[in-house]
Amino acid sequence: MSNRKTYEANHNDVPVGPILLAFRDRRMDVVKRLDGFESEMFARTALHPRLNVPMRLVDMILFQAEHDDYRLARISELARLFVK
């Protein structure tokens, strides 16, 4: 596991504003897609490819939201330290 795509995207050379806007746009795309699902879809299970455990869609959404929350908190922390 590496961060090759992250380094190739040169995120460290991009101001935080455009990164956060792209992040928000991508998350809104996910919300719109989920909003179109029938309620039965949220109870379906699939094997998580890295964790190798079955997860319901609703569990995967929570897993992703917690991951996003961590990343946004870290970005905020770094912004307080480095952006004056």
Side-chain angles (χ1 to χ4, degrees):
M1 190 177 261
S2 73
N3 287 329
R4 181 181 52 83
K5 287 185 179 183
T6 299
Y7 294 118
E8 288 174 357
N10 292 318
H11 290 305
N12 290 336
D13 296 329
V14 178
V16 71
I19 292 174
L20 290 174
L21 285 174
F23 181 86
R24 179 179 171 81
D25 288 345
R26 184 66 188 111
R27 290 299 159 249
M28 290 308 297
D29 290 344
V30 171
V31 169
K32 287 177 190 172
R33 186 173 178 198
L34 292 169
D35 194 39
F37 287 170
E38 297 292 328
S39 59
E40 297 82 28
M41 182 69 85
F42 292 88
R44 289 186 179 181
T45 61
L47 196 61
H48 187 285
R50 184 177 55 81
L51 301 177
N52 201 32
V53 296
M55 295 180 86
R56 296 174 300 162
L57 176 57
V58 70
D59 298 323
M60 188 59 200
I61 294 166
L62 178 60
F63 184 83
Q64 183 176 356
E66 288 176 340
H67 181 267
D68 291 351
D69 185 56
Y70 168 78
R71 294 292 180 209
L72 289 171
R74 184 69 177 132
I75 290 168
S76 296
E77 178 184 346
L78 291 171
R80 282 192 301 276
L81 289 172
F82 298 109
V83 179
K84 303 287 180 183

